[in-house]
Amino acid sequence: MSTKNTVWIFFVLIIGVFGMFFFGMLWIRSSRDVPVTPQSIFLEGKLLYLTSCAKCHGNRGEGSRMAPSLRHSVWTDSAQSKASLATIISLGIPGTLMDGWQGKLQKNDIQKIAYYVANLAKDPIKKCVK
């Protein structure tokens, strides 16, 4: 193999490695830059709610014999109500069937469920899914 061919192959390999690195970094960066919107938090909270809470509170928060409805206006979209909801979800309510989810769910997942429940009375599903 001639020196000219060796240099050419080396050059192509160097360009290929740098190209893979550059495009790999772009891909990693773009996967982290997913915007967090109220709709995405609501939908993530809904999925968490359906897997963790719907068994007792119903798929739409309508309540059951085991647990009360979560669709009334007591739960508004204020920071105070979401904080209260997050505390209730985390610690539970003593003397009831409502067990706490602290240690079973991550803190940010509990906050997403609280956001979802706080917005159930407003029925924002139509706004989220267009």
Side-chain angles (χ1 to χ4, degrees):
M1 192 182 285
S2 72
T3 306
K4 195 176 192 181
N5 286 342
T6 305
V7 171
W8 177 248
I9 291 171
F10 182 73
F11 177 73
V12 169
L13 286 173
I14 294 297
I15 297 296
V17 168
F18 281 114
M20 288 187 330
F21 176 78
F22 176 74
F23 287 111
M25 289 288 105
L26 285 177
W27 180 77
I28 290 170
R29 182 177 174 164
S30 68
S31 67
R32 285 191 222 156
D33 292 342
V34 176
V36 176
T37 62
Q39 290 85 4
S40 68
I41 295 170
F42 180 84
L43 292 174
E44 287 180 46
K46 181 178 182 177
L47 288 174
L48 290 162
Y49 172 89
L50 288 171
T51 59
S52 304
C53 312
K55 184 172 92 175
C56 296
H57 289 282
N59 287 342
R60 297 183 192 157
E62 67 275 9
S64 69
R65 291 182 185 176
M66 294 174 25
S69 171
L70 302 173
R71 296 189 65 86
H72 48 77
S73 60
V74 171
W75 309 116
T76 62
D77 191 19
S78 71
Q80 182 181 6
S81 70
K82 281 186 278 192
S84 298
L85 279 169
T87 301
I88 291 170
I89 295 166
S90 294
L91 303 177
I93 302 174
T96 70
L97 295 175
M98 177 65 189
D99 288 331
W101 287 88
Q102 188 174 19
K104 299 172 191 168
L105 292 173
Q106 295 179 9
K107 185 177 180 179
N108 63 339
D109 290 340
I110 289 172
Q111 291 170 339
K112 290 173 187 175
I113 293 171
Y115 183 84
Y116 172 74
V117 172
N119 285 285
L120 276 175
K122 296 180 178 184
D123 200 18
I125 294 171
K126 293 176 185 174
K127 295 178 188 174
C128 293
V129 182
K130 293 181 180 182

